[in-house]
Amino acid sequence: MAKRIIDLIYSPDFFPAILAFQILLIGFVVGMLTSPLNHALIVFNQQKKFFWISLSGAVVNIILNLILVPSFSLYGASLATLCTFLLMFFLVFKFTLKTTFLRPLNKQIALTFLIALISGILMYFIISSPFFSKLYLPWLILIAFLALGFFIFGKFEEKQLKEYQVQLEEIQEKVNLAETYLLVGKTNPQAEKKANSLFKESWQEISPLVNIASTFPSDFANQVLNLKKTIAFNLSQLNKLEIIEKPELFFEFKAREYIPQKMIAISSELYFFSPYSQNIFELSKQGEGKILSIDKKFNLATALPNSLLFFSSSNQLVNFKDGQFSDFISLQPPYSNFNFDQLLSYQSNLYFLDKTAGKIVKYPYLGNLRWGSPQLWLRSETKKTTNFESVAVDGAIWALTKNNSIEKYYAGRLEKTLKWEIFPEPKSFKKLFTSPRLPYLYILEPIQKRVVVLDKSGQIKKQFQSEDFANLLDFAVSPDGKTIWLLNGLKVYQVKL
């Protein structure tokens, strides 16, 4: 068939490409088989796996082209493409089986593929025949097979819809059971926890159906979406999630005057700074702002008992108290190639987090704005980790890890890991805050446009989420813990706990 197609479209000069075209046709078939599985991974929220599969295919394709093309020219390029398609099919097939409830190998798909194969064989003989324009019977047979294929595909869709309906009924039963536990949960905390777990399972099970609801008949699609709303409402209530339609705007910067990147609070005053520009911006509790001029860029900041301490990348500190900046204070480097990502203070001792090195460095306070030699705070028997995303201190050090867990360290040793469940499921928590005076842990998650408040046993106190929180950069908490300020681009929002 490849020869006749090339002969039909091009001249005989292109006949050397016949073999390459035949190889690519096989690759095209493999690619067509892979495409539905690609969409399945996306529907089931497996975009990361799909990305890594695509990246693997690209790398393998480049390597095979570098190896095969110099020796086999266009045949090597087509073979490299076929091998890439086969690799991606294998990986996509494997992860579809592993991460979804779909089973790519079943009787309906096998029968559809068989009909397509027979149709392809008939098409091959029709095109190959010199008299194909006069042979009406093969055309009629081909049309009949195609009609049969459409009929079987329609039956397959009907069966698939029935399976989805059964699945929705099972989810509904689970929701009904969860609602029963919820009624009992008013007097039984364990029943409420069970209800929360059942609602979360129901949410995970209904999410794939929601993603393809647009392909369902309207009545069934409405059932899916209504059940999703019911589950979401109950999960929001159980997980103390408050959706804020219009958050309170406390202040808005003008880009030509100042562009903040980070913030810190002391008393009821807010201070904004940026590692990319000089000066600090002071914002009073009345919402009045002014620029504090200083010829320095600051990366980090922390609050001392009666002042603020700013840290620059040159390993220098500046203290700010009563509207005045101190002289620069130099710190002894802890080790070569250090890179501090966060600064904390407790009883005026300074604690720096180095994410890359997986270290927490302590500078003991000596008095009179002087700090001693650096010490590695984590004990030698404590496994060093590069998994820390953020830390907070209240006497112990709380560590937010990159897998969204919270660990408590005391005297350099791991004391416990909080066991907690939350909805929506965490994707990427970025900043943790607490203080000795506060009973809560505050966590920022920009990707899900929310801030989470937990008590120190891991119980949810409150969650605040808003579509307006689309560019969360940092946050600060008032001394009494009842006000949260959120830096969102050029806007500062205020949320009351």
Side-chain angles (χ1 to χ4, degrees):
M1 188 183 290
K3 180 178 179 181
R4 292 188 64 83
I5 293 174
I6 289 178
D7 188 32
L8 179 66
I9 300 175
Y10 302 104
S11 66
D13 294 338
F14 287 84
F15 281 179
I18 290 174
L19 177 59
F21 189 36
Q22 290 171 332
I23 296 172
L24 289 174
L25 283 175
I26 298 172
F28 174 74
V29 172
V30 176
M32 292 296 289
L33 293 173
T34 307
S35 181
L37 303 181
N38 291 339
H39 293 297
L41 287 178
I42 294 172
V43 165
F44 282 86
N45 201 31
Q46 301 296 322
Q47 293 91 334
K48 286 185 178 180
K49 289 185 175 60
F50 178 61
F51 168 77
W52 288 112
I53 290 170
S54 301
L55 183 62
S56 301
V59 171
V60 168
N61 187 257
I62 292 171
I63 293 173
L64 288 176
N65 272 285
L66 291 173
I67 295 172
L68 297 175
V69 169
S71 300
F72 302 101
S73 186
L74 73 163
Y75 309 113
S78 57
L79 188 60
T81 301
L82 174 59
C83 291
T84 302
F85 276 131
L86 288 170
L87 172 66
M88 292 186 66
F89 174 77
F90 170 77
L91 293 175
V92 170
F93 186 89
K94 175 183 175 182
F95 284 110
T96 300
L97 288 175
K98 187 176 180 180
T99 61
T100 77
F101 59 77
L102 299 179
R103 293 298 173 261
L105 293 180
N106 55 60
K107 292 181 180 179
Q108 288 78 11
I109 291 179
L111 187 57
T112 304
F113 183 75
L114 179 61
I115 291 173
L117 180 63
I118 294 172
S119 300
I121 293 172
L122 284 172
M123 180 62 76
Y124 170 78
F125 283 112
I126 290 171
I127 293 178
S128 299
S129 171
F131 308 105
F132 72 91
S133 61
K134 298 179 181 180
L135 298 178
Y136 299 108
L137 182 59
W139 284 105
L140 292 174
I141 295 174
L142 177 61
I143 292 171
F145 268 102
L146 288 174
L148 181 60
F150 281 117
F151 174 77
I152 292 175
F153 183 73
K155 289 294 183 181
F156 170 72
E157 283 194 324
E158 288 180 13
K159 183 178 180 182
Q160 190 72 61
L161 182 59
K162 288 181 180 178
E163 291 177 358
Y164 289 144
Q165 289 171 336
V166 170
Q167 187 181 353
L168 188 66
E169 290 172 1
E170 292 173 350
I171 297 171
Q172 181 68 67
E173 290 177 3
K174 189 172 288 187
V175 169
N176 293 341
L177 180 60
E179 289 175 338
T180 303
Y181 276 115
L182 203 56
L183 292 174
V184 180
K186 293 178 179 179
T187 56
N188 186 344
Q190 290 302 316
E192 185 174 291
K193 183 178 288 187
K194 181 64 176 178
N196 190 43
S197 178
L198 286 170
F199 279 124
K200 287 178 69 176
E201 290 175 16
S202 302
W203 178 264
Q204 292 171 352
E205 291 169 4
I206 204 170
S207 293
L209 294 181
V210 172
N211 290 334
I212 56 176
S214 59
T215 65
F216 296 152
S218 58
D219 290 346
F220 183 61
N222 288 333
Q223 292 178 36
V224 171
L225 296 176
N226 288 335
L227 186 55
K228 175 209 168 189
K229 290 179 182 177
T230 299
I231 297 169
F233 173 79
N234 282 289
L235 281 171
S236 296
Q237 294 294 310
L238 286 167
N239 290 270
K240 300 178 175 61
L241 174 62
E242 181 180 338
I243 306 296
I244 306 175
E245 296 294 335
K246 292 183 178 180
E248 180 185 350
L249 181 63
F250 183 67
F251 186 80
E252 185 169 5
F253 289 90
K254 296 179 181 179
R256 64 179 180 273
E257 294 180 0
Y258 197 82
I259 300 178
Q261 293 293 320
K262 300 183 179 184
M263 67 185 298
I264 190 169
I266 185 169
S267 298
S268 295
E269 309 293 319
L270 299 177
Y271 294 85
F272 301 84
F273 59 101
S274 171
Y276 310 113
S277 59
Q278 298 174 353
N279 303 329
I280 292 168
F281 193 93
E282 181 185 68
L283 184 61
S284 70
K285 59 183 178 182
Q286 291 80 25
E288 299 173 353
K290 65 178 180 181
I291 291 178
L292 307 175
S293 298
I294 183 169
D295 188 20
K296 198 74 171 177
K297 301 175 184 178
F298 297 108
N299 296 61
L300 309 170
T302 190
L304 298 178
N306 298 302
S307 64
L308 287 176
L309 203 60
F310 293 92
F311 175 81
S312 72
S313 57
S314 56
N315 213 34
Q316 290 183 322
L317 297 168
V318 172
N319 191 57
F320 179 76
K321 183 178 181 181
D322 298 330
Q324 299 293 322
F325 290 103
S326 71
D327 294 334
F328 292 115
I329 306 163
S330 294
L331 292 177
Q332 179 182 337
Y335 43 82
S336 60
N337 301 319
F338 68 93
N339 182 32
F340 291 149
D341 299 284
Q342 193 174 352
L343 169 60
L344 310 170
S345 65
Y346 177 71
Q347 295 181 345
S348 296
N349 298 311
L350 302 183
Y351 299 84
F352 288 89
L353 170 65
D354 186 338
K355 293 184 188 179
T356 304
K359 297 176 180 178
I360 296 174
V361 179
K362 175 183 177 181
Y363 286 85
Y365 187 57
L366 304 178
N368 197 29
L369 292 180
R370 293 181 301 111
W371 285 269
S373 299
Q375 305 167 2
L376 296 181
W377 185 77
L378 290 172
R379 294 297 183 94
S380 57
E381 64 270 22
T382 302
K383 183 179 179 181
K384 293 181 175 60
T385 175
T386 56
N387 198 34
F388 288 167
E389 182 64 42
S390 178
V391 291
V393 63
D394 62 357
I397 286 185
W398 299 83
L400 176 66
T401 69
K402 292 179 181 177
N403 60 5
N404 301 309
S405 65
I406 297 176
E407 299 172 345
K408 181 181 180 182
Y409 290 80
Y410 188 78
R413 296 185 179 92
L414 177 62
E415 187 175 274
K416 68 176 181 178
T417 299
L418 285 190
K419 294 181 179 180
W420 58 297
E421 294 183 357
I422 191 170
F423 174 86
E425 289 284 344
K427 291 183 179 178
S428 182
F429 286 148
K430 286 299 181 183
K431 183 179 178 181
L432 176 68
F433 175 81
T434 192
S435 77
R437 298 182 300 275
L438 298 177
Y440 303 127
L441 301 169
Y442 301 77
I443 311 168
L444 187 70
E445 188 178 30
I447 194 171
Q448 296 206 72
K449 306 173 186 177
R450 67 172 170 174
V451 60
V452 179
V453 185
L454 308 173
D455 68 22
K456 293 180 181 179
S457 67
Q459 298 300 309
I460 301 170
K461 172 67 176 177
K462 196 69 177 178
Q463 296 187 74
F464 299 101
Q465 189 177 51
S466 174
E467 285 301 314
D468 288 342
F469 298 162
N471 188 24
L472 291 174
L473 301 174
D474 203 352
F475 77 104
V477 180
S478 62
D480 62 5
K482 294 180 179 180
T483 303
I484 304 171
W485 294 282
L486 297 160
L487 176 58
N488 185 79
L490 294 175
K491 297 180 179 180
V492 181
Y493 291 112
Q494 179 174 267
V495 175
K496 296 291 186 178
L497 187 60

